[in-house]
């Protein structure tokens, strides 16, 4: 999965809501001589390090690594995926990474034993549940490609009438009810997307509605021939492509369902399966449109509304009587080991301050884009970092790199690792940089918590896009195009380039929402219709996604330069005034078109103003300290430890109401995975639960006040030390 790609369907909303951050304190194209957080002499040294670093990743190596990772299907828990864990560990040791370990987590998981879908009335049709080979792509003849299955599906068997429920979201069932159609005990057929929602939310919704089973198919209107040419002639999904995926209720709590909030290490306490809130109780199966078409074509009942009609050349009906299907799913549910590979480049001066980087290794099949494009980029990144360290250019802080497992099933590997090391991370971690899908095309999409958005934008000035422009220029053009297409009037600016609205759906989740670490997420995107199918493979990448592996290479460079800037900065480049302005925007959106007479938000808005003022003062003091001279290392350590604490202070130990695992009060995700700002407060306001809303508002106000005091104290330390030095 990938949260940046997932955010795309919301781009219209996103652009409209994107706020105006404070102008970051840097000028365009001056990055060689001035870098946020660096003194001039350190910036000059850093620029040299970055030049050497960027010269190492090569398209040929990216392609070679990508071929290794996409050679065989490697789903979580499979022997091949575990073999790849050992391969990564060996490579990292050879490259000079330190403390390379493979960590084992024993987690609850599912594997398909037997799946069957047949239409038994009005005619017989047995679903293929397989992807057919296409000319030119020998990988598709691989015998170990799985048939259609949904991770974490329940087992069972049912023969029942079939109902078409559009996207399977709650409002779709409302419409069915108005048409007199009850889905209780029936099988429900829904499509992915339109609007996008995470398939686990579709499963929970169907389960709540009392459906007996859920079939989720890929409609050609969303990712197939209605979009453009299909594989092997174009990047869109062909007739037989199946979007696999888990339906875990990880929006309630991610990771191993039997250890919610603690790590699944040997000997850990485990809760009974029937108490695990993230395990679905409904059967689910994904379908290609080839298998969905005969079902849809035979359905009767009322004609589906115009916006429920799809890309197939038939009229879609709501069904409920004529078509009956037989679904049988046998899953092997058992505890199985997942493996996280961990390595590091130990910091030369500040080994106990960590920059954490990660990418998941497990794929539904070959994982051409998701995740092996990211894995190849990670391998070139570690090779380059290892080479730099060997030649004496060791980073000041420690860079920790992880290859996650089981991301595709409840974000499991990263969640267990984050839970295991939460205390240490809260003490030592500067930030987490996630790359899931490195590239499915040329369009850059960068996400960051607002305090790191300015440094992300600044960094893109120093990288060259394959188009010949800087990555910064290419990013601005893509962003402007997206805004035009979404009919947004707001101009592109440095302050609104980075996406600061962060939902769930990838491995950043535990670090942001549970540990309280600032996160960044990076990806290049393009037309991509084969997500989670067997067609997402080496052939697809070499024909459509990134034929020259230039975007893979750019990703290794960008990921590494960001890590090296965070690792080497004199003062960590957090911009809290930018953060404050973001939070103000979140609050303003919350009040839009709502009767807020029951809730006084003035104390929060005042607290935001004070946090913003404190952030500006610290920015100015830091700017003066950085330009005037070198900074006393002890003072820098005080400031940096303090600024690292700001993100932790957004955590509420009790979590958001109903979801105690999700502790961040600014960022959360809806059950659909969509971003949800001020989650506790927003959900209370949406329910018009004013008692809870007042409690959540006070928690937010208090956190703002705590961070204002912290930033003010840091500013005093910085100025006090300077005043003494000047005597
Ligand atoms: Zn992924």
């Amino acid at each position: 999965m990938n949260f940046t790609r997932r955010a795309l369907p919301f781009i219209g909303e996103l652009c409209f809501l994107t706020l105006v951050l404070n102008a970051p304190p840097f000028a365009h194209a001056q990055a060689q001589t001035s870098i946020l957080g660096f003194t001039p002499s350190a910036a000059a040294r850093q620029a040299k390090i970055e030049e050497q670093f960027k010269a190492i990743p090569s398209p040929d190596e990216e392609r070679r690594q990508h071929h290794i990772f996409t050679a065989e299907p490697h789903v979580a828990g499979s022997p091949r995926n575990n073999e790849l864990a050992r391969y990564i560990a060996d490579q990292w040791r050879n490259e000079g990474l330190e403390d390379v370990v493979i960590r084992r987590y024993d987690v609850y998981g599912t594997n398909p034993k037997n799946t069957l879908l047949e239409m038994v009335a009005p005619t017989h049709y047995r679903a293929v549940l397989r992807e057919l080979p296409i000319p030119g792509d020998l990988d598709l003849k691989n015998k170990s490609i799985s048939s259609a299955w949904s991770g974490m599906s329940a087992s069972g068997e049912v023969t029942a009438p079939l109902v078409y429920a559009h996207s399977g979201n709650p409002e779709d069932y409302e419409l069915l009810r108005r048409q007199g159609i009850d889905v209780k005990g029936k099988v429900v057929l829904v499509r992915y997307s339109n609007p996008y929602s995470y398939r686990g939310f579709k499963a929970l919704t169907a389960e709540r509605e009392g459906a007996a089973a859920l079939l989720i198919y890929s409609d050609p209107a969303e990712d197939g021939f209605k979009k453009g040419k299909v594989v092997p002639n174009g990047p869109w999904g062909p007739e037989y492509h199946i979007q696999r995926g888990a339906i875990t209720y990880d929006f309630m709590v991610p990771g191993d369902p039997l250890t919610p909030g603690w790590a699944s290490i040997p000997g850990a306490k485990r809760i009974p399966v029937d108490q695990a809130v993230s395990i679905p109780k409904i059967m689910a199966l994904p379908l290609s449109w080839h298998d969905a078409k005969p079902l849809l074509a035979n359905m009767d009942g009322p004609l589906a509304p115009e916006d429920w009609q799809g890309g197939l050349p038939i009229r879609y009906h709501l069904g409920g009587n004529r078509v009956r299907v037989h679904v049988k799913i046998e899953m092997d549910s058992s505890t199985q080991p997942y493996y996280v590979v961990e390595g590091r480049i130990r910091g030369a001066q500040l080994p106990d301050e960590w920059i954490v980087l990660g990418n998941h290794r497990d794929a539904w099949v070959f994982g051409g884009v998701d995740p092996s494009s990211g894995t190849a980029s990670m391998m070139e990144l570690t090779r380059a970092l290892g080479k730099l360290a060997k030649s004496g250019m060791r980073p000041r802080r420690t860079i920790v790199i992880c290859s996650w497992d089981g991301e595709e099933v409840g974000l499991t590997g990263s969640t267990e690792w984050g839970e295991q090391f939460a205390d240490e991370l809260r003490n030592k971690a500067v930030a987490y940089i996630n790359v899931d899908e490195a590239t499915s095309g040329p369009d850059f999409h960068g996400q960051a918590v607002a305090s790191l958005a300015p440094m992300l934008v600044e960094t893109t000035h120093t990288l060259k896009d394959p188009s010949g422009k800087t990555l910064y220029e290419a990013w601005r053009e893509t962003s402007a195009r997206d805004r035009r297409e979404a009919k947004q009037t707001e101009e592109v600016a440095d302050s609104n380039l980075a996406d600061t609205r962060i939902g769930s759906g990838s491995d950043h989740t535990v670090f942001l929402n549970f540990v309280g670490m600032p996160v960044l997420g990076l990806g290049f995107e393009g037309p991509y219709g084969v997500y989670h199918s067997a067609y997402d493979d080496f052939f697809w990448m070499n024909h459509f996604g990134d034929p020259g592996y230039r975007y893979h290479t750019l990703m290794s460079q960008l990921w590494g330069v960001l890590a090296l800037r965070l690792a080497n900065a004199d003062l960590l480049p957090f911009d809290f005034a930018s953060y404050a302005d973001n939070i103000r925007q979140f609050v303003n959106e919350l009040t839009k078109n709502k009767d807020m007479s029951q809730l006084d938000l003035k104390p929060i808005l005042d607290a935001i103003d004070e946090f913003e003022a404190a952030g500006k003062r610290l920015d100015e003091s830091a700017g003066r300290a950085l330009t005037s001279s070198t900074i006393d290392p002890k003072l820098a350590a005080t400031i940096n430890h303090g600024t690292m604490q700001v993100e932790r202070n957004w955590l509420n130990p009790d979590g958001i109401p109903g979801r105690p695992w999700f502790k961040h009060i600014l960022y959360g995700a809806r059950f659909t995975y969509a971003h949800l700002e001020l989650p506790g407060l927003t959900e209370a306001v949406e329910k018009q639960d004013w008692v809870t809303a007042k409690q959540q508002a006070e928690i937010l106000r208090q956190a703002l006040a705590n961070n204002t005091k912290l930033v003010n104290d840091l500013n005093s330390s910085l100025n006090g030390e300077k005043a003494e030095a000047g005597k």
Side-chain angles (χ1 to χ4, degrees):
M1 287 179 278
N2 177 341
F3 72 107
T4 61
R5 211 183 66 80
R6 213 156 293 286
L8 209 57
F10 302 98
I11 198 88
E13 177 200 5
L14 202 144
C15 294
F16 180 69
L17 300 175
T18 301
L19 39 132
V20 181
L21 306 179
N22 287 327
F26 54 82
H28 295 175
Q30 296 301 310
Q32 278 79 8
T33 50
S34 134
I35 301 175
L36 282 172
F38 287 76
T39 63
S41 58
R45 179 172 173 271
Q46 175 72 9
K48 283 196 190 121
I49 292 171
E50 289 177 9
E51 283 315 310
Q52 298 211 28
F53 170 79
K54 285 187 288 188
I56 300 170
S58 86
D60 287 349
E61 269 300 297
E62 300 274 358
R63 187 172 190 274
R64 192 180 70 80
Q65 291 287 2
H66 188 249
H67 206 180
I68 291 168
F69 284 97
T70 55
E72 291 287 335
H74 52 288
V75 77
S78 67
R80 175 61 182 179
N81 198 42
N82 301 342
E83 189 183 323
L84 289 173
R86 292 189 293 275
Y87 166 75
I88 291 172
D90 288 345
Q91 291 275 305
W92 284 357
R93 289 189 188 106
N94 289 339
E95 289 163 1
L97 271 66
E98 292 129 339
D99 307 328
V100 177
V101 288
I102 298 181
R103 299 195 184 273
R104 172 179 171 157
Y105 301 100
D106 291 329
V107 307
Y108 178 88
T110 58
N111 280 305
K113 273 170 35 186
N114 198 8
T115 52
L116 169 79
L117 168 68
E118 54 186 351
M119 177 163 59
V120 294
T123 59
H124 186 263
Y125 171 75
R126 182 167 172 155
V128 183
L129 304 182
R130 287 255 164 213
E131 290 160 312
L132 297 199
I134 46 163
D137 186 354
L138 291 176
D139 281 334
L140 294 169
K141 294 187 173 162
N142 191 313
K143 293 272 186 298
S144 48
I145 296 174
S146 66
S147 67
W149 68 294
S150 299
M152 289 285 179
S153 166
S155 296
E157 182 169 12
V158 67
T159 301
L162 185 68
V163 175
Y164 171 53
H166 188 222
S167 208
N169 295 323
E171 60 273 20
D172 298 323
Y173 292 94
E174 283 304 321
L175 188 143
L176 288 173
R177 250 188 292 282
R178 289 198 298 276
Q179 297 278 340
I181 296 172
D182 182 4
V183 302
K184 233 175 231 88
K186 294 178 185 161
V187 177
V188 175
L189 175 67
V190 305
R191 61 206 251 189
Y192 278 107
S193 302
N194 189 38
Y196 180 84
S197 63
Y198 165 54
R199 69 189 81 75
F201 179 58
K202 298 178 197 290
L204 177 68
T205 308
E207 185 183 303
R208 283 175 171 169
E209 295 285 343
L214 176 69
L215 309 174
I216 315 174
Y217 82 101
S218 300
D219 196 284
E222 274 113 43
D223 62 5
F225 62 78
K226 283 282 175 183
K227 292 292 226 181
K229 284 185 179 163
V230 304
V231 173
N233 303 310
W236 295 102
E239 179 170 356
Y240 288 90
H241 85 281
I242 300 164
Q243 186 187 137
R244 294 164 190 77
I247 57 165
T248 319
Y249 301 163
D250 55 10
F251 40 77
M252 299 299 298
V253 54
D256 180 5
L258 306 187
T259 62
W262 62 93
S264 299
I265 50 179
K269 183 186 113 192
R270 283 168 171 80
I271 61 171
V273 170
D274 60 10
Q275 284 175 26
V277 296
S278 60
I279 299 179
K281 294 176 180 63
I282 190 168
M283 288 188 286
L285 199 59
L287 299 181
S288 65
W289 72 251
H290 175 88
D291 278 341
K293 191 180 172 196
L295 310 179
L296 284 162
N298 277 289
M299 280 164 88
D300 61 353
L303 189 67
E306 212 38 56
D307 60 334
W308 287 35
Q309 298 295 327
L312 293 170
I314 49 174
R315 296 300 284 166
Y316 293 43
H317 288 76
L318 302 180
N321 294 308
R322 190 161 177 260
V323 171
R324 290 174 67 80
V325 293
H326 173 210
V327 183
K328 187 178 174 190
I329 298 174
E330 276 182 88
M331 302 293 278
D332 170 20
S333 310
S334 57
T335 296
Q336 52 189 314
Y338 283 1
Y339 297 98
V340 168
V341 192
E342 178 194 317
R344 67 190 62 208
I345 305 273
R346 237 177 274 134
Q349 289 156 34
L350 302 162
D352 286 334
E353 292 178 19
W354 297 356
I355 321 303
V356 185
L357 318 180
N359 157 264
H360 74 90
R361 184 179 67 255
D362 62 305
W364 282 105
V365 191
F366 299 103
V369 172
D370 182 11
S372 302
S373 62
T375 316
S377 289
M378 178 182 72
M379 297 311 286
E380 270 301 80
L381 164 72
T382 55
R383 186 173 72 88
L385 287 176
K387 214 169 170 183
L388 276 196
K390 277 181 187 166
S391 68
M393 275 177 282
R394 185 168 283 279
R396 295 180 68 226
R397 297 183 178 83
T398 295
I399 298 177
V400 178
I401 302 131
C402 292
S403 164
W404 309 120
D405 201 352
E407 186 273 353
E408 295 291 0
V409 193
L411 316 173
T412 298
S414 57
T415 299
E416 299 309 314
W417 190 88
E419 289 172 343
Q420 184 177 0
F421 299 107
D423 289 342
E424 195 171 3
L425 288 165
R426 285 184 190 131
N427 190 28
K428 297 179 177 173
V430 173
Y432 173 69
I433 313 178
N434 193 58
V435 174
D436 186 322
E437 300 162 9
T439 171
S440 58
D443 298 340
F444 180 62
H445 186 89
Q447 258 188 332
V449 294
S451 57
L452 288 179
M455 77 84 66
L456 172 60
V457 173
E458 183 194 52
T459 302
T460 59
H461 282 279
T462 62
L463 290 145
K464 202 150 186 203
D465 187 82
S467 62
K469 304 175 190 102
T470 65
L471 176 58
Y472 169 78
E473 289 163 335
W475 190 9
R476 276 189 76 116
E477 283 177 17
T478 303
S479 183
R481 185 202 64 201
D482 288 348
R483 275 153 215 262
R484 273 196 309 277
E485 286 173 2
K487 298 196 166 45
Q488 304 304 335
T489 50
E490 189 196 34
E491 296 274 311
V492 178
D494 282 0
S495 53
N496 60 27
L497 257 183
D499 175 11
T500 58
R501 282 147 207 277
I502 305 173
S504 184
S506 194
D507 290 307
H508 62 284
T509 304
V510 69
F511 301 109
L512 179 64
N513 300 102
F514 185 83
V515 179
M517 282 162 62
V519 300
L520 297 115
L522 315 170
F524 291 91
E525 298 164 357
Y528 174 43
V530 296
Y531 174 65
H532 287 188
S533 80
Y535 304 99
D536 183 13
D537 67 357
F538 189 67
F539 176 96
W540 191 93
M541 187 58 75
N542 279 273
H543 286 81
F544 312 114
D546 186 19
Y549 284 81
R550 296 173 304 166
Y551 289 94
H552 282 76
T553 309
L554 177 55
M555 178 58 81
S556 301
Q557 294 168 330
L558 171 65
W559 201 357
V561 172
L562 284 166
L564 288 168
R565 287 188 176 193
L566 289 168
N568 292 338
D570 295 292
L571 294 177
L572 293 169
F574 294 120
D575 185 332
F576 299 122
S578 150
Y579 218 150
D581 202 43
N582 240 263
I583 301 166
R584 182 183 297 117
Q585 190 70 24
F586 296 167
V587 172
N588 289 338
E589 281 154 25
L590 175 67
T591 63
K592 207 175 281 167
N593 308 323
K594 286 194 199 79
D595 174 12
M596 297 295 290
S597 55
Q598 300 288 312
L599 185 65
D600 181 11
L601 288 170
K602 186 155 188 311
I604 290 181
L605 291 168
D606 289 348
I608 293 170
D609 290 346
E610 284 165 25
F611 180 50
E612 184 175 42
K616 278 185 183 157
R617 281 193 295 271
L618 182 64
D619 241 23
E620 285 160 14
S621 302
R624 274 198 304 276
L626 287 167
T627 47
S628 62
S629 62
T630 54
I631 299 171
D632 172 56
K634 257 178 148 171
L635 176 62
T638 303
I639 304 300
N640 289 332
H641 278 152
T643 54
M644 281 159 67
Q645 203 53 44
V646 168
E647 197 72 34
R648 295 352 157 214
N649 285 347
W650 302 127
L651 295 188
N652 173 10
D654 297 333
I656 61 178
R659 292 191 280 169
W661 188 91
F662 289 86
K663 300 184 188 305
H664 207 293
I665 61 172
L666 304 181
Y667 294 104
R670 294 191 185 271
F671 285 18
T672 57
Y673 277 172
H675 59 88
L676 171 65
E677 286 71 49
L678 312 175
L681 180 58
T682 301
E683 288 186 328
V685 167
E686 286 173 355
K687 283 184 210 153
Q688 305 201 345
D689 173 355
W690 300 111
V691 173
T692 306
K694 277 174 192 154
Q695 289 163 353
Q696 293 296 313
E698 175 55 20
I699 290 166
L700 175 58
R701 191 202 61 76
Q702 190 60 54
L704 283 160
N706 291 346
N707 270 335
T708 301
K709 182 175 183 314
L710 171 60
V711 173
N712 278 334
D713 288 351
L714 295 172
N715 190 43
S716 300
S717 304
L718 197 50
N719 287 324
E721 186 67 30
K722 260 180 64 73
E724 274 179 28
K727 270 180 203 165

